[in-house]
Amino acid sequence: MRLAVVTFPGSNCDYDVYQAIKSVGGVPEFIWHRDAALDSVDAVVLPGGFSYGDYLRAGAIARMSPIMEQVVTFAAGGGPVLGICNGFQILCEAGLLPGALTRNDTLKFESKDVWVRVENADTTFSRDYGQGQALRMPIAHAEGNYYADEETLDSLESGGQVVFRYCDPSGHDGEGWNPNGSARSIAGIRNEAGNVLGMMPHPERAVEEVLGSVDGLGVFTSLLRQLSPAAA
Amino acid sequence: MSESSESNSVGGIGAATAPQPRPGDPPITPELVQDHGLSPEEYDRVRDVLGREPTFTELGIFSAMWSEHCGYKNSKRLLRLLPTEAPWVIQGPGENAGVIDLGDGLALAFKIESHNHPSAVEPYQGAATGVGGILRDVFTMGARPIAILDSLRFGDLDSGRVRYLFDGVVRGIGDYGNCVGIPNIGGEVQFDRGYEDNPIVNPMCLGLMKVDELIKGEAAGVGNTLMAVGARTGRDGIHGATFASEELSEDTEASRPQVQVGDPFTEKLLLEASLELIRSGHIVGIQDMGAAGLTSTASEMAGRSGTGVEIDTLAVPVREPDMTPYEILLSESQERMLVVAKVGHEADVRAILEKWELEAAEVGKVTDDGTFRVLEGDRVVAEIPALPLTEGCPTYEREGVEAEDVQALRKMDLSPYEELEGSPADVFIRLLESPNIASKRWIYQQYDTTVRTGTVLGPGGDAGVIRIRGTTKAVAATTDCNGRYVYLEPRTGAMIAVAEAARNLVCVGALPTAVTNNLNFGSPLKSHIYYQFREAVLGMAEACKLFETPVTGGNVSFYNETDGKAIYPTPVIGMVGILDDVDKLTRHAFQSVGDAIVLLGDNTNELGGSEYLYVIHDLVAGPPPEVDLLGERRLQHAVLAAIQKGLVKSAHDVSEGGLACALAECALGDGEALLGVEVTLDDPLPTAALFFGEAQGRVIVSCHSKNAEKLQQLARDHGVPSRVIGTVTEAASGFVMHAKSADMKVDLNSMKALFFDTISNIMDAGGRE
Amino acid sequence: MTRHHLEIRIIPRPGLLDPEGKAIHHALDSLGYESVRNVRVGKAIYVDLEAPSSEEAIAEAEAMCRGLLANPVTEDFEIGMASPAAEPGETS
């Protein structure tokens, strides 16, 4: 299974995603943002980082990149697209996911481990998790405060599009566990069709015991299982 | 003052091709020379080197190269006393960064650097550009940066100005490193009025490379092409800040930004492009245009390789119109590099840069005449022998005399402070909420600590640790220095800085391997400051020799003074160590109820320079704790052996705040799984020294109770005092310490709140003035 | 063609939480500016461009805002003529 990891100028989690995919048996492949060729890949990951320095707005300039036209086409054809952190910001800017990621309500860059609850375990990216399972993963961002109007939020909720929500270590909602002020504590959403997921926490940084958590593995194993049900 | 200038062999060249002054150049007057920071004797040396009077442009070049920053004129002779060699040292001082062998064909490049003065002026940009510079020093060696640490000093946080500086520096370091995508794995910060007006900002960087990818800052190969790559050259940071602007060019002062602005996005591109360039084989040398910009970069590269260089300033891409050669040569615009391309490979270099959306311009060539020659089109504007320029800076050894007021402070009778005023618990709590003891979480939660998925121990422990993918190894790093100790007795203080760094490394299971240092002092022209500097270097040299941790490079930052008042002398030690087996990594937090708590080392009746005296009695006085370097060495070996044998479950160095605060840190861990402590101390010592004294050479370890005897036997075998002082208990049992003279019991949850929230309560609620 | 200096103001949409504005409001309060009722933080982008008329310059800037400079989910924009840019020259 070939998974494209798109490198924009300023991406800095591309290497980590590459290693995470490799560790679960996928075949990762770096694609430079100007090499617009996604013909033969099975899925696309937009990794974290500071594409174009986060200048103007996080993700705003990257989404103008030549590769993004291809990503839009790929997603429209049902191809799985995963955006992590800056990748999530790019997906929102590109209109592949609703809403926007605004400045953290703490006004600071927030780097720490958080807990997220699996709100929908029946998606391309979460099927290896249990419904309601609490996962520990790092966040590292300054603009992760998810915003959408109430109507959009309601439709995300009712459509099962909220995939991950910040929670306490026991998996419950709790005061003080939303690290950035996100509307309804949203940490990750998918599109209506279900093939595009954006999330602020970094599953690729939680794939080995030596790193402190393996709770992120499920995102990658779910995706691989989706792509080749027989092999998994 | 006995000021003797060292005799360097400098060869003058004939004046036959002497460059002529440019139209608009100011005449060279004694005042202009003085404004350039050159003494009359140094100016005479300039004339000797040239065999004639310098042009204005040449004066600027000498001024930069013979400045303290580039020429190390007041430090060079003493720095030669530091040990720099060991079988594992691949690159010692003199290059962009030191390099040590990690085995498996891998090498570690590392370096620390100061950005104190820029950070005092504009904390955000000053700190950010400091990180940018140290990253470039490492990746220009061919190494990919894998970790950042930061050693910081500020005044007390009750000052609004200090909070502003602290906040800006932390945001600057965070934003820059986060954007480039290098994890921050540790460092240290101390708050003390001794740093009120002069913060210290010393970022350190570690980089990983294959041994055969090492590249140096050399302009080798006559005929090869010099290329300026990265950002364009502007007027930022031109050193001649003392000039009236009209003398430099027609522009007004307002149009000349002095503050250098960092662009971490360009840095990230430059990093990737540089590593690709180095691996491509199209270049033979590369160096950051750092302090003194193009001048120091080009002349140093020529000096190192014994060649010459010729540069045309008209070919340098500029950001502003009408820049003079003087300005282009001395600009310190950020995110620029000078590359020596193999002749004929210029287009290949350009293609790599273009991929990363960066510019590359051919600005000159390597020559064989040993001359640093600058052209402005057809006109020669500077022509200087390269070696005397880079190596011929006069160096000085000065008289050093200790200040009398420091002697008096050191001799102060501390016996009135040996018994506690109030209960031990009250004193303990005041120490826990001192920003010097309290958790630095407010800082490092603004730093990306996990990017690159190598961090196995981030900030908050004794040292940061990065695993080396594809091996079982990991590298550990720490920065240490207690400026109060150094102030009170520089030689001992510097030894303690080295000893503490080594203790921190062994506590995580790493063998101390090498050092980079950042020597932050006041003006060396003052005899009491020069005394501090000399003594500190001597102490550092002795400790580094004994610990077999050679110094592979570093930085000297003098003139950290405001209104004649200098900072505490602060020779920061950045030490790196190696863990052969990352699975042996040990943390400071206690692990399980019932484990034995073992103290390695002895408690003493020492209070000098302690946090206790500062917080409770508002005093910086007394002699710093004594340090027994041989004893420290035995302790290091014992801790490492115990960890390698799998005997210990946690290890933590005892430092500021003494035994009580160290035990508290072990009990609180990272705040997620608190454990209780019950400790009984039978030492016949006054309570203040026993609980809060900062005796050196101590480590707290915990082990399964069945291993306690084995551990003590191991300690005996190493000649290290050890004893079981207590047991790890349930959190609900609280934090309990018994001594002959006093007892205390404190609730762990209230300790947790104080320890973890103190700094954020000050910073997020206080606001700025 | 003439050179037009435009000031494009990007403003958070009404109702969108503006934590920076809130923090500044709080700081102004604590400095004694009790009359402050609302603070919003946006940004200004200065664009110099060549166009036959100011109307056409503004029309082009509006297209830039819709395409890139403002995020329609969270931001509104206003375009005005600026006094000649403080910094002459060209960005590269």
Side-chain angles (χ1 to χ4, degrees):
Chain A
M1 288 297 117
R2 295 177 60 217
L3 282 79
V5 179
V6 178
T7 304
F8 297 96
S11 296
N12 63 32
C13 305
D14 44 343
Y15 168 82
D16 303 344
V17 168
Y18 184 97
Q19 295 291 346
I21 291 170
K22 222 167 86 175
S23 75
V24 297
V27 181
E29 189 177 324
F30 289 121
I31 304 256
W32 179 238
H33 76 121
R34 273 195 295 218
D35 301 339
L38 293 176
D39 313 334
S40 54
V41 304
D42 300 295
V44 175
V45 185
L46 307 186
F50 286 70
S51 58
Y52 293 94
D54 272 4
Y55 297 146
L56 190 61
R57 290 181 310 279
I61 300 179
R63 71 112 170 160
M64 302 295 189
S65 262
I67 194 78
M68 285 309 293
E69 257 178 61
Q70 295 279 314
V71 173
V72 170
T73 310
F74 182 80
V81 178
L82 167 63
I84 300 166
C85 197
N86 190 226
F88 185 13
Q89 293 161 340
I90 296 168
L91 290 174
C92 287
E93 284 285 342
L96 286 172
L97 290 171
L101 293 148
T102 60
R103 192 155 179 212
N104 295 347
D105 67 349
T106 60
L107 299 180
K108 287 203 289 279
F109 190 92
E110 293 289 339
S111 166
K112 58 185 172 190
D113 278 5
V114 297
W115 291 87
V116 295
R117 185 171 65 231
V118 180
E119 296 288 80
N120 183 350
D122 185 23
T123 81
T124 302
F125 308 91
S126 61
R127 50 195 295 193
D128 282 357
Y129 293 120
Q131 182 77 23
Q133 188 180 343
L135 311 173
R136 182 185 184 134
M137 297 179 199
I139 55 164
H141 59 247
E143 289 164 326
N145 180 350
Y146 184 73
Y147 171 83
D149 59 39
E150 286 299 311
E151 200 182 324
T152 307
L153 290 170
D154 288 342
S155 95
L156 286 172
E157 300 274 11
S158 60
Q161 288 179 248
V162 177
V163 181
F164 300 112
R165 200 188 308 270
Y166 299 111
C167 64
D168 72 13
S170 67
H172 296 100
D173 295 333
E175 186 75 16
W177 294 97
N178 177 344
N180 52 28
S182 280
R184 303 191 191 179
S185 292
I186 286 173
I189 56 169
R190 65 166 174 82
N191 63 351
E192 260 185 79
N195 63 316
V196 179
L197 176 92
M199 63 190 297
M200 287 314 293
H202 287 278
E204 81 280 11
R205 299 189 193 180
V207 295
E208 288 178 76
E209 287 294 354
V210 72
L211 301 176
S213 172
V214 292
D215 289 355
L217 279 172
V219 171
F220 301 99
T221 57
S222 297
L223 176 56
L224 283 189
R225 199 146 68 89
Q226 169 85 15
L227 293 172
S228 67
Chain B
M1 183 155 88
S2 82
E3 195 172 309
S4 64
S5 78
E6 193 178 16
S7 72
N8 285 296
S9 59
V10 291
I13 59 164
T17 57
Q20 299 304 306
R22 289 178 81 250
D25 275 359
I28 311 289
T29 62
E31 292 73 33
L32 191 72
V33 171
Q34 194 187 347
D35 284 345
H36 276 81
L38 293 172
S39 70
E41 296 74 28
E42 287 164 353
Y43 183 68
D44 286 344
R45 171 98 55 120
V46 169
R47 284 195 301 204
D48 284 349
V49 166
L50 293 175
R52 58 178 165 77
E53 299 286 330
T55 64
F56 177 61
T57 306
E58 289 170 333
L59 180 66
I61 292 169
F62 273 102
S63 158
M65 292 307 296
W66 289 9
S67 68
E68 192 67 54
H69 193 95
C70 294
Y72 290 88
K73 54 188 169 191
N74 287 297
S75 61
K76 208 171 197 171
R77 294 193 188 189
L78 284 171
L79 295 179
R80 289 193 190 120
L81 301 173
L82 296 171
T84 59
E85 289 175 357
W88 54 88
V89 174
I90 294 174
Q91 177 65 57
E95 264 288 344
N96 296 320
V99 181
I100 56 167
D101 197 344
L102 292 176
D104 300 322
L106 297 172
L108 183 76
F110 65 104
K111 174 92 178 289
I112 193 167
E113 188 160 273
S114 66
H115 246 219
N116 305 343
H117 302 285
S119 303
V121 175
E122 211 303 302
Y124 179 86
Q125 292 296 347
T129 52
V131 173
I134 198 65
L135 289 172
R136 289 193 294 280
D137 279 344
V138 164
F139 70 71
T140 50
M141 300 299 293
R144 178 173 284 279
I146 55 169
I148 295 169
L149 296 91
D150 51 324
S151 179
L152 311 176
R153 303 290 182 283
F154 300 94
D156 284 327
L157 284 177
D158 52 13
S159 147
R161 166 93 189 148
V162 169
R163 289 197 299 273
Y164 162 74
L165 291 172
F166 177 43
D167 178 68
V169 164
V170 169
R171 282 189 302 110
I173 290 171
D175 283 359
Y176 205 102
N178 296 344
C179 182
V180 181
I182 315 299
N184 190 304
I185 60 166
E188 19 113 57
V189 57
Q190 189 175 23
F191 304 95
D192 187 298
R193 56 183 175 267
Y195 302 100
E196 179 85 34
D197 297 312
N198 294 87
I200 289 185
V201 177
N202 292 173
M204 172 172 166
C205 178
L206 275 59
L208 185 68
M209 70 174 113
K210 293 185 179 143
V211 173
D212 56 16
E213 281 167 352
L214 176 68
I215 187 166
K216 298 189 181 181
E218 289 185 352
V222 172
N224 281 340
T225 305
L226 301 181
M227 299 179 80
V229 308
R232 290 179 163 227
T233 298
R235 288 194 170 93
D236 11 9
I238 293 169
H239 81 107
T242 43
F243 293 107
S245 54
E246 290 73 21
E247 293 178 79
L248 291 175
S249 73
E250 305 82 68
D251 284 299
T252 62
E253 190 68 29
S255 72
R256 182 174 303 124
Q258 293 293 336
V259 174
Q260 301 155 48
V261 174
D263 177 1
F265 171 60
T266 297
E267 177 95 346
K268 167 70 173 165
L269 302 180
L270 204 49
L271 188 172
E272 298 299 338
S274 298
L275 293 180
E276 196 170 326
L277 270 182
I278 290 165
R279 269 142 223 188
S280 73
H282 295 307
I283 67 170
V284 298
I286 181 167
Q287 185 164 325
D288 175 34
M289 293 195 219
L294 183 55
T295 291
S296 69
T297 308
S299 60
E300 283 175 12
M301 290 177 85
R304 285 196 195 108
S305 55
T307 55
V309 292
E310 184 173 286
I311 290 170
D312 181 359
T313 56
L314 290 183
V316 177
V318 292
R319 211 172 59 211
E320 300 173 68
D322 306 322
M323 287 184 68
T324 65
Y326 182 100
E327 292 171 323
I328 291 170
L329 286 166
L330 296 174
S331 161
E332 294 188 1
S333 291
Q334 296 287 300
E335 290 94 19
R336 299 178 304 154
M337 318 274 258
L338 190 65
V339 162
V340 183
K342 289 179 184 166
V343 67
H345 293 242
E346 297 83 356
D348 303 300
V349 169
R350 204 173 285 110
I352 290 173
L353 270 300
E354 275 168 10
K355 173 190 162 185
W356 292 101
E357 307 187 3
L358 292 169
E359 280 187 303
E362 294 170 32
V363 299
K365 59 176 190 279
V366 179
T367 64
D368 62 358
D369 60 3
T371 302
F372 176 61
R373 184 179 297 106
V374 182
L375 310 176
E376 185 185 23
D378 297 333
R379 188 204 326 250
V380 177
V381 295
E383 192 166 82
I384 305 171
L387 205 58
L389 178 63
T390 58
E391 299 299 322
C393 174
T395 61
Y396 304 98
E397 202 157 337
R398 297 179 183 279
E399 195 180 359
V401 180
E402 186 172 34
E404 285 175 12
D405 55 343
V406 175
Q407 291 183 31
L409 279 175
R410 186 169 62 239
K411 288 172 185 158
M412 185 183 284
D413 176 17
L414 299 182
S415 59
Y417 311 107
E418 286 177 354
E419 289 309 326
L420 300 176
E421 293 169 13
S423 75
D426 290 344
V427 172
F428 177 57
I429 278 173
R430 285 181 65 191
L431 283 171
L432 269 190
E433 64 180 351
S434 158
N436 287 324
I437 306 281
S439 165
K440 309 303 182 288
R441 180 179 279 184
W442 183 85
I443 302 174
Y444 60 76
Q445 283 192 343
Q446 299 186 54
Y447 299 159
D448 194 337
T449 61
T450 51
V451 63
R452 297 196 54 73
T453 50
T455 309
V456 290
L457 188 56
D462 282 45
V465 183
I466 296 279
R467 59 93 179 260
I468 309 296
R469 205 185 272 278
T471 74
T472 60
K473 289 178 184 166
V475 293
T478 180
T479 64
D480 288 288
C481 180
N482 185 325
R484 285 178 200 149
Y485 297 165
V486 187
Y487 174 66
L488 291 168
E489 196 177 322
R491 193 181 300 211
T492 304
M495 285 180 186
I496 291 177
V498 180
E500 187 183 349
R503 276 201 307 273
N504 281 331
L505 292 181
V506 297
C507 281
V508 301
L511 177 71
T513 308
V515 161
T516 177
N517 59 16
N518 206 123
L519 310 178
N520 306 278
F521 287 79
S523 165
L525 307 181
K526 296 178 179 169
S527 64
H528 69 284
I529 303 283
Y530 194 77
Y531 171 85
Q532 295 172 340
F533 181 71
R534 186 185 69 210
E535 289 294 304
V537 170
L538 289 172
M540 191 182 302
E542 192 177 336
C544 287
K545 269 178 204 151
L546 197 75
F547 295 169
E548 294 181 87
T549 49
V551 178
T552 62
N555 177 258
V556 179
S557 172
F558 282 133
Y559 306 104
N560 291 283
E561 296 192 2
T562 299
D563 299 333
K565 190 173 175 303
I567 55 163
Y568 290 149
T570 311
V572 172
I573 300 295
M575 193 181 281
V576 297
I578 300 175
L579 286 94
D580 280 327
D581 181 0
V582 69
D583 288 338
K584 291 282 175 11
L585 172 69
T586 302
R587 293 161 201 270
H588 74 281
F590 289 146
Q591 299 292 311
S592 356
V593 173
D595 284 351
I597 302 173
V598 177
L599 174 67
L600 303 176
D602 280 326
N603 302 323
T604 64
N605 187 17
E606 292 176 291
L607 285 177
S610 64
E611 184 69 9
Y612 161 78
L613 280 187
Y614 187 74
V615 170
I616 306 295
H617 298 289
D618 197 24
L619 264 185
V620 175
E626 285 181 16
V627 57
D628 166 12
L629 294 177
L630 287 168
E632 293 279 354
R633 188 77 171 139
R634 291 193 295 271
L635 176 74
Q636 293 162 19
H637 287 152
V639 172
L640 276 179
I643 288 173
Q644 269 147 20
K645 287 194 160 69
L647 285 178
V648 307
K649 292 165 84 171
S650 72
H652 187 35
D653 159 55
V654 179
S655 59
E656 286 82 3
L659 204 48
C661 291
L663 284 165
E665 286 157 5
C666 297
L668 293 168
D670 61 6
E672 288 191 29
L674 309 183
L675 284 167
V677 164
E678 178 142 16
V679 158
T680 302
L681 302 166
D682 54 6
D683 309 66
L685 293 173
T687 314
L690 184 56
F691 281 13
F692 310 116
E694 298 173 7
Q696 296 298 297
R698 293 183 297 171
V699 167
I700 295 168
V701 297
S702 68
C703 65
H704 195 284
S705 55
K706 73 173 165 51
N707 285 331
E709 181 40 44
K710 272 189 220 161
L711 181 63
Q712 287 189 270
Q713 184 57 50
L714 183 146
R716 275 192 294 277
D717 293 345
H718 282 85
V720 173
S722 78
R723 58 185 147 143
V724 176
I725 57 171
T727 311
V728 179
T729 62
E730 301 278 359
S733 308
F735 183 87
V736 182
M737 288 181 77
H738 305 289
K740 287 189 166 170
S741 51
D743 295 289
M744 73 172 176
K745 178 171 181 180
V746 186
D747 173 64
L748 272 164
N749 280 311
S750 50
M751 282 167 59
K752 176 184 165 183
L754 289 173
F755 184 74
F756 287 108
D757 297 341
T758 289
I759 295 182
S760 64
N761 285 345
I762 294 170
M763 294 305 295
D764 294 340
R768 297 186 203 165
E769 280 174 19
Chain C
M1 300 288 263
T2 30
R3 190 159 177 159
H4 300 272
H5 311 286
L6 301 182
E7 179 182 284
I8 300 170
R9 288 180 294 278
I10 311 286
I11 308 145
R13 297 191 64 171
L16 184 84
L17 179 72
D18 175 8
E20 194 173 4
K22 218 169 84 182
I24 293 171
H25 190 164
H26 179 77
L28 289 171
D29 266 351
S30 62
L31 281 175
Y33 295 103
E34 287 159 13
S35 56
V36 176
R37 291 293 166 265
N38 191 20
V39 180
R40 308 284 283 169
V41 178
K43 61 189 155 202
I45 300 172
Y46 296 90
V47 175
D48 289 4
L49 58 79
E50 305 277 348
S53 68
S54 57
E55 289 75 20
E56 281 168 86
I58 288 174
E60 203 170 341
E62 279 174 359
M64 291 176 197
C65 286
R66 283 195 207 93
L68 173 69
L69 300 180
N71 182 338
V73 179
T74 54
E75 294 168 333
D76 290 330
F77 60 86
E78 291 171 359
I79 299 167
M81 303 306 273
S83 51
E87 245 182 295
E90 305 201 345
T91 40
S92 53

